[in-house]
Amino acid sequence: MSDNDPKDPLMRNLITLGLIPRHRGRTTQELLAALKSRGFNITLRTLQRDLNEKLSRHFPIVPVEEGNVVRWRFDRDARFNLPALDPAEALAMHLAEDHLKQILPPAVLVSLEPQFAEARRQLESLEHNALTNWARRVRVLPNGKALLPASVEKDAWEQVATALLEQRQLQVDYLSRVKNEAKTMQLHPKGLVSRGPVTYLLASVGDYTDVRHFAMHRIQSAVALDAKARDDDFDMDAYLPTAAFTPRQGTGVVDLVADVHPQLAQTLRETPLGKDQGLEPLAGSDWQRLSAQVPDDQETLSWLFGLAENILVHAPISLRSRIEEKIRRTADMYADPAGPPRSPLHCMPDQTPPAPRPHPTARIEP
């Protein structure tokens, strides 16, 4: 990048404004480094004069003291949006809000609230605009039972995001659900994956290179370290097909063969399990024979269990046997007047089933 003229105050001040966040803020030194990386070779005194004597007088930016450190950020309650949203963008933000509330942790939603509020204000000001009527008539509904997003510590989220974006190592206190105690670990962040109500940090631990999944809501505290993280040329798109976000029952995919109710057959015809799916009429019945390759994991099992009497699984035998065993346990539990067993004999969808086979490359931290 060619050097920008430090005497061009308009361009320099516009870029400075764009570098100031609304929440955690940036120190003057961080802002100076960011400006220099963009070609503005100015002194710290020049930047301080820009912030104190110019920008803070005309824009809602404020210095916030944190111990011996001063950070600059936008006033969280200020109504300031540059550039302004046009009606179509405001509508998109308004509709995205309903969807994101189902998948993002509260700490992230808080940081997006000013943008959502601005979108609502824009639409409300366009009382006779057709887009406003559209916003009143369009809703986003989850597919299946929606759970509220897990609560993530705001400071932890900011530290994780900083470490990931700046490729720095991360020290965390991670709460084990099994042992119910926190363990301090040093991580090399790789990426974030949002899956339903839970967001996972993908990272390797210490000197190990295998990728593990850490539920963000179990990170009790986090600190982005100065040391650079080991990236190992991590490729998210190549990694995800092998990722163990649900406990594996086997080592890959299985060929599912089952008879399905006509209404379920229609649903699968419109929204197939995969490109290789087949549906064939059964002689003397309105049911259909389903064939498809499906992952041999807990998610597939949960989906089949949820279909109940609308599906009859024939193959693979291992999958059919697990379904038969679960049905037997469920029937026994409901038939027992004493209530549920004292020791759980079955697994919830997000728990590891008895004697699972370990995934070869990744695991979710318990």
Side-chain angles (χ1 to χ4, degrees), residues 17-38:
L17 284 173
L19 293 170
I20 298 175
R22 189 180 291 270
H23 287 273
R24 186 168 181 269
R26 279 183 165 180
T27 66
T28 310
Q29 292 286 358
E30 290 171 338
L31 290 172
L32 181 64
L35 284 169
K36 287 187 174 181
S37 71
R38 289 160 174 78

Side-chain angles (χ1 to χ4, degrees), residues 197-237:
V198 179
T199 298
Y200 294 95
L201 168 65
L202 275 54
S204 58
V205 182
D207 295 330
Y208 296 94
T209 59
D210 59 310
V211 177
R212 301 185 184 184
H213 306 161
F214 299 86
M216 284 290 298
H217 62 277
R218 295 200 201 105
I219 297 179
Q220 295 186 327
S221 64
V223 177
L225 306 176
D226 292 333
K228 295 292 289 184
R230 184 179 60 248
D231 185 60
D232 300 328
D233 296 323
F234 180 74
D235 186 334
M236 178 71 83
D237 291 331

Side-chain angles (χ1 to χ4, degrees), residues 142 164 241 325 331:
L164 181 61
E325 177 64 14

Side-chain angles (χ1 to χ4, degrees), residues 18 29 41 43 50 52 60 62 64 75 92 95 104 114 152 162 172 178 182 190-191 197 238 247 263 274-275 306 323:
Q29 292 286 358
N41 295 315
T43 65
D50 286 347
N52 291 294
V62 292
V64 178
D75 186 344
L95 297 179
L104 290 181
V152 179
T162 297
V172 302
V178 176
K190 310 296 183 184
Q263 291 184 357
K275 294 182 179 180
I323 294 173

